[in-house]
Amino acid sequence: MTHSPVVPQSLVYRIHAAGDWNCGWRDTLDLLRRRLNASLVVLGSHNFSNGQGELVCESPESPALRAAYARYASRNPWFLSSQDYADGRVMSGEELISNRELIRMDFYRDVVRPFGLFRRLCAVAARRNDMVAYVATHRAEHQSAFRERHKSLLKSLLPHLSLALEQRWRFAEADQIAKALMRIIDQNGRATVLATRDGRIVFRNKAASESGDRLFGLRLNGDVLNAATPAEQKALYEAVEQVAGLESSDAQTAARVVTLSSPHAGQPPQVVVRPAGRVFLSDAALFRDLVTVTASSPWVDHDPCACPFARQFELTPAQSKVSALVFAGNTLPVIARTLRVSENTVRSHLKQIFQKTNTYGQMELVHRHARICINKL
């Protein structure tokens, strides 16, 4: 009667605890190497469509082996047939190519013999189309071949290896996507912070970091988002509370604009609060609703020809230009010089704009303009 091998719990634990490629996996492979009395254990990948392959991690560590393995990837005789690498299969090197044939190859002279890879036992941990991830144990030519019990032990560990790799891939994918998205946010010239519902800042883009603790009416007190005055603080947190947890698919309806005071701005700046979904924060071990808070400079250029505010209130071309210049924080004399008209003409246009938009001053006009042209902020 054949008995299933006893799976060492210490090795199973180490497999699932392997966090990163360089450290956690190397310790795991080292434990497996000692368990199988092998001279080398590797975690590798091979792509049959392009012939590329690499050793992701090995025990003991050998940069020279990694380089040689990558150099021979397309001519590696152990990867002549993709059909041999079925998901979950464990096979010896001789099942793929006989030792008699192997020793006639340059691969044997340059890789197998120098690094002691002659005896091989390989387990396919995962397969995705033409890409396979595998764990291979090796012994040198003078050592005995692996036995059936070694093969059975490796096969019993495969489900754990496969699960650990799947989890690692998911984490790596999520991490790389998050970094890519953060780079996109960093390219935004407007200062943007990612904050929780209670105002804790979890990320600042480059523009926000370079602005220090004060930017356009916001006060970044360490990792907490604040406004300059209690009234503005209340308005800011009310906006955060209104959008946190909402779907972000419709930015126009989901976002909120808050007007803040700034002693250095001719017109009050605005911050736009938008929903940003939920995230699990590891330090708190809780899910938190997130928002993005973007501070918009009052001096931003605004194209009157593409202005939703002007279209909504049916402003004339001249009125659209005046409204856009007011929105950009310009004073009446500056607007008059820019448009090459008198200040009285600017005042006349403003009066008509106030009537059409049902506003009663430049500050209210700017705030309403911001609510409608929210995607411009």
Side-chain angles (χ1 to χ4, degrees), residues 188-193 205 207-208 211 214-220 225 258 260 269-274 292-298 300 376-377:
N188 182 2
R190 296 189 177 98
T192 301
V193 299
N205 74 346
S211 298
R214 295 172 178 265
L215 59 109
F216 308 128
L218 290 175
R219 302 292 184 269
L220 306 183
L225 188 65
V258 180
L260 303 175
Q270 296 85 33
V271 295
V272 182
V273 184
R274 294 182 173 92
T292 60
V293 181
T294 302
S296 177
S297 167
V300 66
K376 302 295 182 182
L377 298 178

Side-chain angles (χ1 to χ4, degrees), residues 144-157:
S144 62
F146 290 104
R147 298 184 180 275
E148 190 63 33
R149 59 187 174 87
H150 299 127
K151 193 172 186 178
S152 298
L153 176 60
L154 196 54
K155 190 170 184 66
S156 68
L157 291 173

Side-chain angles (χ1 to χ4, degrees), residues 142-176:
H142 66 273
Q143 294 178 293
S144 62
F146 290 104
R147 298 184 180 275
E148 190 63 33
R149 59 187 174 87
H150 299 127
K151 193 172 186 178
S152 298
L153 176 60
L154 196 54
K155 190 170 184 66
S156 68
L157 291 173
L158 262 183
H160 304 285
L161 288 166
S162 298
L163 181 59
L165 282 175
E166 289 282 359
Q167 290 176 336
R168 178 57 193 166
W169 287 341
R170 290 193 185 100
F171 290 146
E173 180 183 40
D175 181 62
Q176 292 301 317

Side-chain angles (χ1 to χ4, degrees), residues 249-268:
S249 56
D250 189 348
Q252 187 75 20
T253 58
R256 298 291 185 275
V257 178
V258 180
T259 301
L260 303 175
S261 60
S262 176
H264 305 294
Q267 291 289 347

Side-chain angles (χ1 to χ4, degrees), residues 307-324:
C307 176
F309 178 80
R311 290 199 302 268
Q312 177 171 326
F313 292 103
E314 299 180 349
L315 303 183
T316 66
Q319 293 166 0
S320 299
K321 292 177 182 178
V322 170
S323 178

